Amino acid sequence: MIGYTRMSTADQGPESQVDVLRAAGCERVFSDHTSGCGRRALGTTRCWTT
């Protein structure tokens, strides 16, 4: 299973989201640190093309 995390503010980190996804059985986790709808989410692209 593949997981995806997204952080929208500079003070957020992916650790807690990654922990939850790993506990749910995700073997691979991709992350993005972006806010707003105008930015490209590269982690999403990598997640879907893997």
Side-chain angles (χ1 to χ4, degrees), residues 34-41:
T34 184
S35 63
C37 62
R39 295 190 182 163
R40 192 167 185 191

Side-chain angles (χ1 to χ4, degrees), residues 4-7 30-34 40-46:
Y4 172 74
T5 69
R6 180 180 172 276
M7 290 74 57
F30 296 89
S31 299
D32 278 319
H33 194 241
T34 184
R40 192 167 185 191
L42 296 176
T44 304
T45 302
R46 287 187 295 251

Side-chain angles (χ1 to χ4, degrees), residues 1-44:
M1 189 167 18
I2 298 172
Y4 172 74
T5 69
R6 180 180 172 276
M7 290 74 57
S8 60
T9 63
D11 62 335
Q12 290 179 320
E15 295 82 13
S16 62
Q17 293 180 42
V18 171
D19 290 345
V20 170
L21 291 170
R22 295 260 188 233
C26 292
E27 296 174 7
R28 297 184 73 183
V29 177
F30 296 89
S31 299
D32 278 319
H33 194 241
T34 184
S35 63
C37 62
R39 295 190 182 163
R40 192 167 185 191
L42 296 176
T44 304

